Structures are given as C-alpha cells and as structure tokens.
Amino acid sequence: MLETTRIKKIKILVLNSGSSSLKFQLFDIKNFHLLASGLVEQIGEKHSFAHMKYATGIHQKENIRQPACQDYSVADHQQAIEIMFDMLKESSCLTRMEELAGIGHRVVHGGEDFHDPVLINDQVIATIERLIPLAPLHNPANLTGIRVTKQRSPEIPQVAVFDTSCHQSIPGHAYIYGLPYTLYEKQQVRRYGFHGTSHHYVVQQAAIYLDKKISKLKLISLHLGNGTSAAAIQYGKSIDTSMGMTPLEGLIMGTRCGDIDPAIPFYLARETGMTLQEIEDLLNKRSGLKGICGQNDMRAVVKQAAKGDAGSELAIRIFCYHIKKYIGAYMAALNGIDAIIFTGGIGENSNLIRERSCENLQNLGVDIDPVKNNASSNKIRGIHCDLAQVKVLVIPTNEELAIAMQTVKLVHP
Ligand code: AMP
C-alpha cells in the first residue's frame, strides 16, 4: 500500500478504438513526449496482429510483434486491450497501472449531449451507450475500451473526447436537414460532424503558427485521410462541416461516396433489387475513390494516374473538385477567410491533391506557391505565394496528442 502511494502518476494513456482496430499511445505527462505507440489490427478477424514502437531517451526501439499474424487472432476489443497492456509491460513502458495519471478515450459519437471532453462516470457511460444507434460500429468499441480499463483500474480517472463535440457550435440553419422537423426532435436526425478532435487541434496550431488570436481568425480546415471532411471555423468555433448525421456525407473518401442524390438508393433498390444492407455496404465500402478507380489508397491512385490510368485520373479530379466546392461554400459562409488548412494523410503528404484542390482560385485570394507546395516536410508550413490574400497551411494532425492534452486538463485542472 505504502509502495503504491509512492509511485508517481506520470503517464497518460490514449485509446483510439476503431470498429476492428485499437490504436494506443502513451505520453509523458510533463512534456507530452511520446513514450509508446501501438496498434492492434484486424480485431475479430483471422489474421489479427499487434505492433508497438517505443522510445528510450532519444533512441527509438522497435518492439514489433511481427510476424505475429499466425500467433494472434484477437477475438475482440477486450483481448486487444489485454495485449496492449502486455506489450506496454513487457517493454517496461508501463510496469504499474499506478503510473497512469489518466486514460483518454476517443469516442466517436457524443450526439447533442457532449459539447466538451468529460470525465467518465456511470452516467457518461450510459449516455454513450444510448447513442449507439447513431454510431453502431464505433461507440460499442469505444465503450469496451472504457469498461475494460475501468475494470482493471477503477481508480484511474478516464476522460472521453468526442469526435462530434467541436461541431456542437454549428447553428441550426447548418445542422437541420430539409426533412420534417419531428425527425430531429424524435429521432435526433441532424448534422453532427466528425473529425472534431483533428479539426480543433490543427486550428489551434494554425493560430500559433500565424501568431494571431484564434478569436480573430476565419479558417477552413480540410482533414483529408481515409475519411475526409471540411470544417468552417469562425473565431475558433465550428460553424459548419461536411460530414453529417454519419461520416458518409460530404467530400468523396477512400471508400465512402460523400454527397450523392438521396434518391439513388431508392432507384438502386427498385432497379437492381439490392437490399438496404447491400446498398449501405456499397455506399460505405465500395464507393468513393475505390468505386471510381478500384483503389482507395490515394498513393496508389496517384501512381496509377501517373501511368496514364484514366479512371484514377478521373477519381483525383472528382476528389479535388469536391474539395474546391466546399472551399467556395465555406468562404461564402464565413464571408472571406484568413487561411485554409490541409491535414490528414493525404492533406499532409500529397502536393498534387493540394495543388489541384486550390487550382484556379486566385480570384478568391488563394494562390499556392508550387516550390513551397512541392518541398517535402513533416513540419507545419505555409505553401501560399507571399502576396496571396489567403494563407494555405499544411499542418500535421495529432489526434492522440490532442486527446492526451484534453485528458490532462481534466485530471489536473
Ligand atoms: P489517414 O487516414 O490520415 O492515415 O490517411 C490515409 C490516406 O493518406 C491514404 O489514402 C494514403 O494513401 C494517404 N497518403 C499517405 N501518404 C500519401 C502520399 N505521400 N501521397 C498521397 N496520399 C498519401
């Protein structure tokens, strides 16, 4: 007992559970130095595997449990969490649970109930559970993470950081659909928006980089990864975003269709006899870049296009055209902007997508400098021409770091 009280609570663990994966990161509470970073993938499938990187001082050591595909078949998120704790212990990154000052969880859907990160208690758990119908693939996995870690160490404070909460500032005219109002009142049908942790993080970083108060800035944040979304941020608050009641709406994504005519599913059902489940699967998993050119990984799409594949070239054009339309829409919504932010795997790494998305926008003050855009870097940077009215920034996102920081704020107010 005495020994326990002497252990310093110096670490923060962040859990980011997807429907079939568990991403985790361990941070030093003092300086948010990353101590370990790992992933358990293909949970519930035959070839699950887990790997983790950790650093000792300035040296990086690998502790990758590969090829472990045959050894592991991780049945569920509960087992994935056990594996995570085993790996953290075996690598001496976390020898005692008592070293943890807090655990932060990414929770995908907070509905209208959560406007900010919260300390988790029974009521919070019950609310996340009630919201499962709005995120049936994600909220259950997030809840398992919360429950298993709570069971293991009930005394460690846990924090939920919601993907939706940053968009709770969106006004009614942007979140109510043109549907009977009772659907909003009775079934909570409305725009919620996602990627909130990422948008919030990069917007704060933009203000620091531009050396301006966030309360003075109008920004468009473009999170372009496997999932893609745009957000209009006015003086630090989200006033509109492209994802809707679910992450299917908005920009074209790796496998998701984004905005389409809502009559298409009915037409498909009538003409092809597809079931609701088949159509849902089509729109979520077989559409977007993959549906257009057969590849959902943007690197592969770009490579194929460079070799002259017309389908891939078309996919890139559609992807960028949709981004450009949202830039125009949000410039109008914000009555002019100070900066556009590119983030996410594609936004941070693809000069081609950035160039094409901002092409021919000079009349709106957007002018990318090709030399700056083509220079490779993993640092925050401006890629606009010196005299351009609108700054264009590339900002690496870090959702786990953002969750760790929010967790510390709540456990050490
Ligand atoms: P994320 O979901 O943020 O991890 O982003 C994943 C997406 O980023 C995938 O479509 C990757 O192909 C894409 N990506 C990563 N690096 C590059 C790159 N250098 N060029 C184009 N796309 C990239």
Side-chain angles (χ1 to χ4, degrees):
M1 187 65 194
L2 249 181
E3 198 194 334
T4 306
T5 52
R6 273 204 302 269
I7 293 172
K8 285 198 177 144
K9 298 188 176 301
I10 49 172
K11 294 171 186 174
I12 292 282
L13 179 65
V14 171
L15 265 64
N16 182 348
S17 308
S19 51
S20 61
S21 65
L22 169 71
K23 204 168 165 187
F24 60 91
Q25 294 197 347
L26 185 72
F27 293 89
D28 185 323
I29 200 168
K30 276 202 309 280
N31 47 13
F32 292 103
H33 181 72
L34 184 63
L35 302 170
S37 172
L39 188 63
V40 186
E41 287 191 83
Q42 315 233 12
I43 298 171
E45 292 176 34
K46 234 184 181 170
H47 300 299
S48 320
F49 62 98
H51 52 96
M52 185 182 99
K53 277 185 183 177
Y54 64 99
T56 307
I58 53 164
H59 301 293
Q60 276 239 321
K61 284 185 185 176
E62 301 270 331
N63 179 25
I64 298 176
R65 293 191 163 203
Q66 276 179 334
C69 311
Q70 281 78 17
D71 302 337
Y72 278 133
S73 194
V74 185
D76 53 27
H77 280 79
Q78 178 152 357
Q79 277 189 15
I81 290 169
E82 298 303 332
I83 288 167
M84 170 190 78
F85 281 122
D86 282 353
M87 285 165 60
L88 287 168
K89 194 166 184 183
E90 284 160 17
S91 60
S92 300
C93 289
L94 185 70
T95 46
R96 306 281 296 262
M97 289 296 280
E98 291 84 353
E99 290 171 63
L100 288 175
I103 302 176
H105 298 265
R106 172 185 176 224
V107 179
V108 166
H109 221 304
E112 290 188 327
D113 296 82
F114 299 106
H115 293 224
D116 294 295
V118 284
L119 270 171
I120 295 173
N121 57 26
D122 289 345
Q123 200 188 337
V124 170
I125 292 176
T127 309
I128 298 171
E129 192 153 29
R130 176 168 56 71
L131 295 167
I132 285 176
L134 290 172
L137 293 180
H138 291 92
N139 273 24
N142 305 150
L143 272 173
T144 304
I146 292 169
R147 286 197 171 115
V148 174
T149 43
K150 204 167 177 322
Q151 240 166 23
R152 223 182 147 99
S153 302
E155 69 293 346
I156 299 173
Q158 308 214 26
V159 170
V161 180
F162 300 91
D163 259 24
T164 46
S165 63
C166 129
H167 301 301
Q168 279 298 300
S169 47
I170 290 176
H173 64 256
Y175 74 69
I176 295 290
Y177 289 116
L179 292 168
Y181 195 74
T182 49
L183 289 181
Y184 166 59
E185 291 176 310
K186 296 208 171 110
Q187 268 84 35
Q188 299 87 48
V189 175
R190 56 159 285 181
R191 176 183 312 285
Y192 290 98
F194 298 87
H195 286 149
T197 310
S198 174
H199 288 304
H200 182 259
Y201 176 78
V202 296
V203 159
Q204 305 297 323
Q205 296 296 309
I208 296 168
Y209 180 79
L210 296 171
D211 197 19
K212 291 245 166 77
K213 285 200 170 120
I214 190 79
S215 56
K216 300 263 183 258
L217 286 171
K218 294 192 280 185
L219 305 165
I220 294 174
S221 171
L222 300 167
H223 179 108
L224 311 179
N226 283 320
T228 58
S229 75
I233 311 285
Q234 186 172 48
Y235 312 136
K237 299 230 178 295
S238 174
I239 61 151
D240 203 354
T241 192
S242 58
M243 283 179 166
M245 175 164 145
T246 72
L248 189 55
E249 190 183 348
L251 301 167
I252 284 211
M253 312 182 208
T255 62
R256 284 173 250 164
C257 60
D259 297 334
I260 59 166
D261 182 337
I264 291 172
F266 312 115
Y267 173 82
L268 288 177
R270 270 198 316 271
E271 293 298 311
T272 69
M274 288 173 83
T275 63
L276 261 184
Q277 182 59 51
E278 285 166 344
I279 296 174
E280 191 169 7
D281 196 67
L282 171 84
L283 302 183
N284 275 290
K285 300 187 182 151
R286 293 188 283 127
S287 298
L289 296 174
K290 187 170 191 165
I292 299 163
C293 70
Q295 293 281 358
N296 60 298
D297 188 306
M298 185 57 95
R299 278 167 295 205
V301 181
V302 170
K303 217 181 248 177
Q304 283 186 175
K307 285 187 191 152
D309 180 67
S312 301
E313 176 60 26
L314 179 64
I316 292 172
R317 284 195 182 281
I318 298 171
F319 188 86
C320 296
Y321 180 64
H322 280 233
I323 295 170
K324 188 191 256 197
K325 280 208 294 190
Y326 271 92
I327 290 175
Y330 289 168
M331 276 184 158
L334 290 162
N335 188 18
I337 55 168
D338 297 289
I340 295 171
I341 302 164
F342 281 93
T343 192
I346 299 171
E348 290 166 32
N349 296 303
S350 178
N351 49 352
L352 176 80
I353 299 299
R354 293 192 297 259
E355 178 197 314
R356 296 263 191 102
S357 305
C358 294
E359 190 170 73
N360 294 328
L361 285 179
Q362 286 87 351
N363 280 345
L364 297 179
V366 180
D367 201 0
I368 282 187
D369 178 330
V371 176
K372 291 182 196 166
N373 186 38
N374 295 341
S376 81
S377 161
N378 56 7
K379 298 248 155 60
I380 180 166
R381 60 203 183 275
I383 56 166
H384 46 274
C385 295
D386 291 343
L387 296 178
Q389 202 182 321
V390 173
K391 313 268 187 276
V392 181
L393 310 177
V394 180
I395 304 185
T397 193
N398 194 335
E399 284 168 296
E400 285 75 24
L401 173 62
I403 294 170
M405 289 161 111
Q406 303 271 18
T407 303
V408 171
K409 256 194 202 166
L410 286 178
V411 301
H412 283 312

